[in-house]
Amino acid sequence: MTGRICGTGFCVPEHVMDNEELSRMVDTSDEWIRERTGIERRRIITEETTVSMASMAAENALEDAGISPEQVDLIITASISSNVILPCTSCEVQKEIGAIRAACFDINAACCGFLTAYQTAQAYIAAGIYRTILVIGSESLSKLADWTDRGTCILFGDGAGAAVLTAGEGRSFRGVLHSDGSKGNALTCSGKFWKKDENDTGFMKMDGREVFQFAVKRVPEVIHEVLDLNDCELDDIDYFIVHQANRRIIESAARRLGVDAEKFPINLQEYGNTSSASIPILLDELRRNGMLRKGNRILLAGFGAGLSWGAGILDWTME
Protein backbone atom coordinates (compact mmCIF):
# COMPACT_ATOMS: atom_id res chain seq x y z
CA MET A 1 0.00 0.00 0.00
CA THR A 2 1.04 3.57 -0.62
CA GLY A 3 -0.43 6.91 0.36
CA ARG A 4 -2.03 8.77 -2.53
CA ILE A 5 -2.90 12.45 -2.29
CA CYS A 6 -6.64 12.72 -2.91
CA GLY A 7 -7.26 16.31 -1.79
CA THR A 8 -5.40 19.56 -1.10
CA GLY A 9 -6.23 22.91 0.47
CA PHE A 10 -4.65 26.05 1.80
CA CYS A 11 -5.45 29.17 3.82
CA VAL A 12 -3.60 32.47 4.08
CA PRO A 13 -4.35 35.60 6.11
CA GLU A 14 -6.33 38.43 4.60
CA HIS A 15 -3.73 41.13 5.31
CA VAL A 16 -1.21 41.57 2.52
CA MET A 17 2.06 43.30 3.42
CA ASP A 18 3.95 44.34 0.30
CA ASN A 19 7.57 45.44 0.17
CA GLU A 20 6.62 49.11 0.16
CA GLU A 21 4.79 48.76 3.47
CA LEU A 22 7.71 46.82 4.90
CA SER A 23 10.17 49.51 3.78
CA ARG A 24 8.35 51.96 6.06
CA MET A 25 9.11 49.71 9.03
CA VAL A 26 12.76 48.83 8.40
CA ASP A 27 15.64 50.14 6.30
CA THR A 28 14.98 48.33 3.03
CA SER A 29 13.28 48.81 -0.34
CA ASP A 30 11.12 46.93 -2.79
CA GLU A 31 14.02 46.73 -5.26
CA TRP A 32 16.45 45.43 -2.61
CA ILE A 33 14.07 42.67 -1.48
CA ARG A 34 13.07 41.56 -4.98
CA GLU A 35 16.66 41.42 -6.19
CA ARG A 36 17.86 39.27 -3.28
CA THR A 37 14.84 37.06 -2.65
CA GLY A 38 12.21 37.39 -5.37
CA ILE A 39 9.59 38.20 -2.73
CA GLU A 40 7.11 40.98 -3.54
CA ARG A 41 4.57 40.57 -0.74
CA ARG A 42 3.60 38.28 2.09
CA ARG A 43 0.48 37.54 4.19
CA ILE A 44 0.48 38.51 7.88
CA ILE A 45 -1.97 37.31 10.51
CA THR A 46 -4.24 39.78 12.28
CA GLU A 47 -7.20 37.85 13.68
CA GLU A 48 -6.02 34.50 12.27
CA THR A 49 -3.91 31.98 14.21
CA THR A 50 -1.81 28.96 13.32
CA VAL A 51 -4.67 26.73 14.46
CA SER A 52 -7.41 28.61 12.59
CA MET A 53 -5.41 28.58 9.33
CA ALA A 54 -4.55 24.90 9.76
CA SER A 55 -8.22 24.10 10.36
CA MET A 56 -9.38 25.99 7.28
CA ALA A 57 -6.71 24.42 5.09
CA ALA A 58 -7.72 21.00 6.45
CA GLU A 59 -11.41 21.61 5.74
CA ASN A 60 -10.59 22.72 2.20
CA ALA A 61 -8.46 19.62 1.61
CA LEU A 62 -11.16 17.29 2.95
CA GLU A 63 -13.79 18.97 0.78
CA ASP A 64 -11.51 18.61 -2.24
CA ALA A 65 -11.05 14.92 -1.42
CA GLY A 66 -14.74 14.29 -0.81
CA ILE A 67 -13.87 12.80 2.57
CA SER A 68 -15.67 13.56 5.82
CA PRO A 69 -13.71 14.54 8.95
CA GLU A 70 -14.99 11.39 10.67
CA GLN A 71 -13.09 9.27 8.13
CA VAL A 72 -9.70 10.68 9.13
CA ASP A 73 -7.54 8.24 11.10
CA LEU A 74 -4.58 10.52 11.86
CA ILE A 75 -3.75 14.24 11.79
CA ILE A 76 -0.11 15.35 11.58
CA THR A 77 0.62 19.07 11.72
CA ALA A 78 4.05 20.52 11.02
CA SER A 79 4.70 23.89 12.65
CA ILE A 80 7.34 25.87 14.53
CA SER A 81 5.02 28.79 15.30
CA SER A 82 1.79 27.51 16.76
CA ASN A 83 -0.32 29.70 19.02
CA VAL A 84 -0.74 26.65 21.30
CA ILE A 85 1.70 24.34 23.04
CA LEU A 86 -0.79 22.15 24.87
CA PRO A 87 -3.01 20.75 23.47
CA CYS A 88 -0.97 20.28 20.31
CA THR A 89 -2.01 22.00 17.09
CA SER A 90 -3.32 18.76 15.58
CA CYS A 91 -5.64 18.18 18.55
CA GLU A 92 -6.98 21.69 18.17
CA VAL A 93 -7.55 21.07 14.47
CA GLN A 94 -9.31 17.81 15.30
CA LYS A 95 -11.67 19.70 17.59
CA GLU A 96 -12.33 22.47 15.06
CA ILE A 97 -13.09 20.20 12.10
CA GLY A 98 -14.79 17.36 13.98
CA ALA A 99 -12.32 14.59 13.12
CA ILE A 100 -13.44 12.66 16.19
CA ARG A 101 -11.72 9.36 15.27
CA ALA A 102 -8.31 10.80 14.47
CA ALA A 103 -5.14 10.34 16.48
CA CYS A 104 -3.12 13.57 16.55
CA PHE A 105 0.44 14.78 16.91
CA ASP A 106 2.68 17.61 15.74
CA ILE A 107 6.10 17.70 14.06
CA ASN A 108 8.73 20.40 14.42
CA ALA A 109 11.07 20.15 11.46
CA ALA A 110 10.98 23.81 10.38
CA CYS A 111 11.01 24.25 6.61
CA CYS A 112 11.27 20.47 6.12
CA GLY A 113 8.14 20.08 8.24
CA PHE A 114 5.58 19.19 5.60
CA LEU A 115 7.96 16.83 3.82
CA THR A 116 8.75 15.11 7.13
CA ALA A 117 5.06 14.83 8.00
CA TYR A 118 4.27 13.50 4.52
CA GLN A 119 6.95 10.80 4.78
CA THR A 120 5.75 9.90 8.28
CA ALA A 121 2.21 9.50 6.93
CA GLN A 122 3.51 7.28 4.15
CA ALA A 123 5.24 5.05 6.69
CA TYR A 124 2.02 4.63 8.71
CA ILE A 125 0.07 3.75 5.57
CA ALA A 126 2.73 1.32 4.33
CA ALA A 127 2.65 -0.41 7.74
CA GLY A 128 -1.12 -0.78 7.54
CA ILE A 129 -1.67 1.21 10.73
CA TYR A 130 -3.79 4.02 9.22
CA ARG A 131 -5.59 4.42 5.89
CA THR A 132 -6.63 8.10 5.82
CA ILE A 133 -4.22 10.75 7.05
CA LEU A 134 -4.48 14.53 7.06
CA VAL A 135 -1.07 16.22 6.71
CA ILE A 136 -0.85 19.96 7.46
CA GLY A 137 1.83 22.65 7.47
CA SER A 138 0.80 25.85 9.26
CA GLU A 139 2.90 28.82 10.33
CA SER A 140 2.56 32.26 11.93
CA LEU A 141 6.17 33.27 11.40
CA SER A 142 5.35 36.96 11.78
CA LYS A 143 5.16 36.26 15.53
CA LEU A 144 8.75 34.97 15.52
CA ALA A 145 10.23 37.64 13.25
CA ASP A 146 12.28 40.58 14.50
CA TRP A 147 10.70 43.44 12.57
CA THR A 148 13.79 45.61 13.13
CA ASP A 149 16.11 43.12 11.41
CA ARG A 150 15.91 43.54 7.64
CA GLY A 151 18.01 40.42 7.12
CA THR A 152 15.19 38.18 8.35
CA CYS A 153 11.87 40.03 8.54
CA ILE A 154 11.73 40.58 4.77
CA LEU A 155 11.66 36.82 4.20
CA PHE A 156 8.79 35.39 6.15
CA GLY A 157 5.03 35.16 5.82
CA ASP A 158 2.10 33.33 7.39
CA GLY A 159 -0.16 30.64 5.98
CA ALA A 160 -1.21 26.99 5.98
CA GLY A 161 -1.51 24.15 3.50
CA ALA A 162 -2.88 20.62 3.79
CA ALA A 163 -3.14 17.35 1.93
CA VAL A 164 -5.26 14.23 2.47
CA LEU A 165 -3.53 10.89 1.93
CA THR A 166 -5.46 7.66 1.50
CA ALA A 167 -4.17 4.11 1.22
CA GLY A 168 -4.26 2.67 -2.26
CA GLU A 169 -2.44 0.66 -4.87
CA GLY A 170 0.43 2.21 -6.74
CA ARG A 171 4.16 2.61 -6.71
CA SER A 172 5.71 3.31 -3.32
CA PHE A 173 8.70 5.66 -3.42
CA ARG A 174 11.39 5.82 -0.75
CA GLY A 175 12.00 9.29 0.68
CA VAL A 176 15.18 10.88 1.98
CA LEU A 177 15.72 13.05 5.07
CA HIS A 178 19.00 14.39 6.48
CA SER A 179 20.05 16.64 9.36
CA ASP A 180 23.29 18.24 10.52
CA GLY A 181 22.86 19.58 14.04
CA SER A 182 26.44 20.85 14.11
CA LYS A 183 25.34 23.59 11.68
CA GLY A 184 22.19 24.45 13.63
CA ASN A 185 23.40 27.89 14.71
CA ALA A 186 22.90 29.13 11.16
CA LEU A 187 19.15 29.48 11.82
CA THR A 188 17.82 29.65 15.37
CA CYS A 189 14.88 30.82 17.45
CA SER A 190 14.97 30.36 21.21
CA GLY A 191 11.47 31.74 21.83
CA LYS A 192 10.60 34.50 24.26
CA PHE A 193 10.16 32.11 27.20
CA TRP A 194 13.55 30.46 26.75
CA LYS A 195 15.98 33.28 26.07
CA LYS A 196 19.58 32.19 26.53
CA ASP A 197 20.78 35.52 27.93
CA GLU A 198 19.95 39.24 27.95
CA ASN A 199 21.28 39.58 24.40
CA ASP A 200 18.91 36.94 23.07
CA THR A 201 15.79 38.57 21.62
CA GLY A 202 13.92 35.28 21.35
CA PHE A 203 13.23 35.99 17.67
CA MET A 204 14.52 34.12 14.63
CA LYS A 205 18.18 34.70 13.80
CA MET A 206 19.80 33.60 10.58
CA ASP A 207 23.20 33.57 8.95
CA GLY A 208 21.84 34.25 5.49
CA ARG A 209 25.04 33.48 3.63
CA GLU A 210 25.58 30.13 5.33
CA VAL A 211 21.96 29.07 4.80
CA PHE A 212 22.12 30.11 1.15
CA GLN A 213 25.34 28.17 0.54
CA PHE A 214 23.91 25.16 2.36
CA ALA A 215 20.73 25.19 0.29
CA VAL A 216 22.28 25.63 -3.16
CA LYS A 217 24.58 22.68 -2.44
CA ARG A 218 22.22 20.29 -0.65
CA VAL A 219 19.06 20.68 -2.75
CA PRO A 220 20.57 19.36 -6.01
CA GLU A 221 22.40 16.64 -4.05
CA VAL A 222 19.30 15.34 -2.33
CA ILE A 223 17.29 15.46 -5.56
CA HIS A 224 19.89 13.23 -7.23
CA GLU A 225 19.93 11.00 -4.14
CA VAL A 226 16.18 10.38 -4.08
CA LEU A 227 16.09 9.82 -7.84
CA ASP A 228 18.89 7.24 -7.62
CA LEU A 229 17.22 5.55 -4.65
CA ASN A 230 14.03 5.07 -6.68
CA ASP A 231 15.67 4.27 -10.04
CA CYS A 232 14.27 7.45 -11.58
CA GLU A 233 15.78 10.01 -13.93
CA LEU A 234 15.49 13.79 -13.97
CA ASP A 235 13.43 13.52 -17.15
CA ASP A 236 10.88 11.38 -15.28
CA ILE A 237 9.89 14.32 -13.09
CA ASP A 238 7.20 16.71 -14.32
CA TYR A 239 7.49 19.20 -11.45
CA PHE A 240 10.04 19.88 -8.73
CA ILE A 241 8.14 21.45 -5.82
CA VAL A 242 10.88 22.97 -3.68
CA HIS A 243 10.47 24.82 -0.38
CA GLN A 244 9.76 28.44 -1.26
CA ALA A 245 12.53 30.29 0.57
CA ASN A 246 14.40 32.30 -2.05
CA ARG A 247 14.07 32.57 -5.83
CA ARG A 248 17.85 32.49 -6.30
CA ILE A 249 18.11 29.18 -4.43
CA ILE A 250 15.44 27.55 -6.59
CA GLU A 251 16.86 28.93 -9.83
CA SER A 252 20.34 27.78 -8.80
CA ALA A 253 19.04 24.26 -8.18
CA ALA A 254 17.45 24.17 -11.64
CA ARG A 255 20.69 25.34 -13.28
CA ARG A 256 22.86 22.87 -11.40
CA LEU A 257 20.56 20.02 -12.35
CA GLY A 258 20.30 21.18 -15.95
CA VAL A 259 16.50 21.22 -15.73
CA ASP A 260 14.16 23.74 -17.38
CA ALA A 261 13.18 26.38 -14.81
CA GLU A 262 9.53 25.92 -15.81
CA LYS A 263 9.63 22.60 -13.97
CA PHE A 264 10.40 24.50 -10.75
CA PRO A 265 7.18 26.46 -10.07
CA ILE A 266 7.49 29.46 -7.76
CA ASN A 267 4.89 31.38 -5.75
CA LEU A 268 7.12 32.90 -3.05
CA GLN A 269 6.65 36.31 -4.66
CA GLU A 270 3.12 36.26 -3.24
CA TYR A 271 3.63 34.63 0.15
CA GLY A 272 7.29 34.84 1.13
CA ASN A 273 8.84 31.98 3.09
CA THR A 274 6.04 30.21 4.96
CA SER A 275 8.28 27.41 6.25
CA SER A 276 6.35 24.13 6.60
CA ALA A 277 3.36 25.62 4.76
CA SER A 278 5.18 26.54 1.55
CA ILE A 279 5.13 23.15 -0.20
CA PRO A 280 1.43 22.34 0.42
CA ILE A 281 0.36 25.89 -0.48
CA LEU A 282 2.19 25.62 -3.80
CA LEU A 283 0.87 22.10 -4.37
CA ASP A 284 -2.72 23.26 -3.91
CA GLU A 285 -2.23 26.30 -6.16
CA LEU A 286 -0.84 24.11 -8.94
CA ARG A 287 -3.77 21.73 -8.59
CA ARG A 288 -6.42 24.44 -8.63
CA ASN A 289 -4.75 26.22 -11.55
CA GLY A 290 -5.03 23.02 -13.58
CA MET A 291 -1.28 22.49 -13.86
CA LEU A 292 -1.25 19.03 -12.28
CA ARG A 293 -2.47 16.12 -14.39
CA LYS A 294 -3.16 12.53 -13.45
CA GLY A 295 0.03 10.59 -14.05
CA ASN A 296 2.38 13.51 -13.34
CA ARG A 297 5.43 12.56 -11.31
CA ILE A 298 6.33 15.15 -8.68
CA LEU A 299 9.45 15.57 -6.59
CA LEU A 300 9.17 17.42 -3.27
CA ALA A 301 12.31 18.94 -1.71
CA GLY A 302 12.73 20.82 1.55
CA PHE A 303 15.57 22.46 3.44
CA GLY A 304 15.92 24.65 6.49
CA ALA A 305 16.69 24.92 10.18
CA GLY A 306 18.34 21.97 11.83
CA LEU A 307 20.06 22.17 9.48
CA SER A 308 17.81 19.67 7.72
CA TRP A 309 17.05 18.73 4.14
CA GLY A 310 15.22 16.01 2.26
CA ALA A 311 13.23 14.95 -0.78
CA GLY A 312 10.46 12.60 -1.84
CA ILE A 313 8.70 11.48 -5.02
CA LEU A 314 5.00 10.92 -5.67
CA ASP A 315 2.79 10.04 -8.59
CA TRP A 316 -0.17 12.38 -8.96
CA THR A 317 -3.38 10.31 -9.14
CA MET A 318 -6.06 13.00 -9.05
CA GLU A 319 -7.94 14.07 -12.17
Side-chain angles (χ1 to χ4, degrees):
M1 283 292 180
T2 188
R4 301 181 301 182
I5 293 179
C6 61
T8 61
F10 83 105
C11 173
V12 292
E14 289 188 11
H15 178 60
V16 179
M17 178 185 288
D18 63 19
N19 292 341
E20 292 293 343
E21 180 180 349
L22 188 53
S23 69
R24 296 192 290 271
M25 301 168 58
V26 67
D27 183 18
T28 189
S29 68
D30 176 58
E31 181 181 7
W32 193 89
I33 297 171
R34 289 191 193 214
E35 178 183 347
R36 287 160 177 79
T37 70
I39 298 169
E40 300 175 15
R41 57 192 66 85
R42 71 285 296 147
R43 301 297 184 98
I44 303 296
I45 61 171
T46 52
E47 300 299 322
E48 303 91 349
T49 67
T50 301
V51 168
S52 71
M53 291 187 296
S55 299
M56 181 59 69
E59 289 179 343
N60 291 338
L62 289 170
E63 181 180 1
D64 187 42
I67 288 176
S68 70
E70 293 82 5
Q71 293 176 271
V72 177
D73 299 315
L74 175 65
I75 302 172
I76 309 174
T77 303
S79 183
I80 61 169
S81 57
S82 183
N83 54 297
V84 295
I85 298 175
L86 298 174
C88 70
T89 306
S90 291
C91 282
E92 290 292 281
V93 171
Q94 182 211 46
K95 177 180 69 176
E96 292 298 319
I97 69 174
I100 56 175
R101 293 182 51 255
C104 303
F105 64 87
D106 293 353
I107 284 178
N108 176 347
C111 299
C112 277
F114 182 83
L115 179 66
T116 304
Y118 172 81
Q119 294 192 16
T120 302
Q122 289 286 10
Y124 273 112
I125 289 172
I129 299 173
Y130 298 116
R131 293 187 60 85
T132 302
I133 301 179
L134 182 57
V135 181
I136 307 167
S138 186
E139 303 286 7
S140 300
L141 299 178
S142 60
K143 294 298 184 182
L144 302 181
D146 180 352
W147 292 96
T148 67
D149 176 15
R150 75 170 184 173
T152 57
C153 74
I154 65 170
L155 301 173
F156 300 106
D158 303 332
V164 181
L165 275 66
T166 54
E169 299 298 328
R171 181 171 178 181
S172 179
F173 295 94
R174 294 177 61 186
V176 176
L177 291 171
H178 296 291
S179 294
D180 182 359
S182 69
K183 301 291 180 62
N185 284 339
L187 181 51
T188 63
C189 181
S190 62
K192 63 181 180 179
F193 297 113
W194 304 101
K195 295 180 182 180
K196 297 177 181 178
D197 53 52
E198 61 182 11
N199 296 318
D200 185 355
T201 65
F203 296 121
M204 286 186 288
K205 293 182 179 180
M206 183 174 69
D207 183 333
R209 176 171 295 183
E210 183 169 354
V211 171
F212 183 88
Q213 292 173 344
F214 149 75
V216 297
K217 179 176 185 290
R218 293 300 189 185
V219 171
E221 286 181 352
V222 81
I223 287 175
H224 277 302
E225 181 182 1
V226 79
L227 289 171
D228 291 344
L229 186 64
N230 292 283
D231 295 320
C232 293
E233 304 291 336
L234 284 168
D235 289 342
D236 295 331
I237 306 300
D238 295 290
Y239 289 107
F240 298 80
I241 300 182
V242 179
H243 166 53
Q244 302 289 291
N246 185 301
R247 179 180 291 273
R248 292 192 298 167
I249 291 173
I250 297 171
E251 291 175 342
S252 173
R255 287 195 303 272
R256 290 188 177 209
L257 292 166
V259 174
D260 191 327
E262 290 186 359
K263 285 192 171 186
F264 284 76
I266 294 175
N267 69 352
L268 61 86
Q269 68 275 8
E270 296 296 329
Y271 305 112
N273 180 344
T274 56
S275 189
S276 66
S278 78
I279 288 176
I281 288 175
L282 179 56
L283 194 65
D284 187 57
E285 282 202 334
L286 293 175
R287 162 158 166 66
R288 295 180 189 278
N289 290 340
M291 294 179 64
L292 299 183
R293 307 286 185 182
K294 185 176 182 179
N296 283 164
R297 185 158 290 174
I298 298 169
L299 191 148
L300 310 178
F303 58 91
L307 294 171
S308 296
W309 63 104
I313 300 172
L314 63 94
D315 283 336
W316 191 254
T317 58
M318 298 179 67
E319 296 290 350

